[in-house]
Amino acid sequence: QVQLQESGPGLVKPSETLSLTCAVSGVSVSRDYWSWIRQPAGKGLEWVGRFSPGESLLYNPSLKSRVTVSIDTSKNQFSLELNSVTAADTAVYYCARSINSGFDIWGQGTMVIVSS
Amino acid sequence: DIVMTQSPDSLAVSLGERATINCKSSQIVSKSSNNKYCLAWYQQKPGQPPKLLIYWATTRESGVPDRFSGSGSGTDFTLTITSLQAEDVAVYYCQQFDGSPPMYTFGQGTRLEI
């Protein structure tokens, strides 16, 4: 059974870097496609970026200059870094497995607040 | 950029009745290598992550009740829920994968109430 679990600081100061990790269990992170998706409170879903071993990283063009998605095979996890954050980056951040052009497995999400 | 527009934004349906949610793409949704549309539907309940219901526009995810069905082609797609149950109260999202550059885009969501 594939499971995902996000972790990271719940509070980030403006202009600093948001760093989150998604621990993957039940499958090797070295296969499949792995994405980050965020959702501001009471609003819709926004895809952030996708990593897949052996393929080009994909990023939401609106965030591309600030986003890095990476993978740590030794820990079977993947990570998100979003720099120069503002209040607009406050959201629940989900990690998810991308498959068949959709997202079939999701983490429970982690709330990140950008505030001084 | 591709824009996905859902309609209506919210709807109320009686128990046992049919609910229909529409999703319109600003461009023709691309097809995967198996010639299926790269269009998915999700259900999200409060405090929970979204749950995949339908992928490739018409394929029901394993474990999803058969009262949920997807249809459509080109730019217009539909999620239909027949015989509405109380547990179907949620926000529903469509999502596509395509574009140049390639990216995933969600609709704004449709709130379904009883």
Side-chain angles (χ1 to χ4, degrees), chain A residues 54-69:
Chain A
E55 295 195 17
S56 300
L57 294 168
L58 300 182
Y59 297 111
N60 189 318
S62 68
L63 301 170
K64 182 177 182 178
S65 64
R66 300 194 293 127
V67 173
T68 301
V69 179

Side-chain angles (χ1 to χ4, degrees), chain A residues 34-39 44-51 57-63 67 69 94 96 98 103 106, chain B residues 95-98 101-106:
Chain A
W34 306 99
S35 282
W36 288 97
I37 297 153
R38 69 181 185 178
Q39 184 174 37
L45 300 160
E46 180 182 38
W47 172 73
V48 175
R50 188 190 85 177
F51 176 90
L57 294 168
L58 300 182
Y59 297 111
N60 189 318
S62 68
L63 301 170
V67 173
V69 179
Y94 295 101
S98 316
F103 305 100
W106 296 64
Chain B
Q95 169 255 310
Q96 68 84 36
F97 175 69
D98 192 17
M103 64 176 290
Y104 300 84
T105 307
F106 290 91

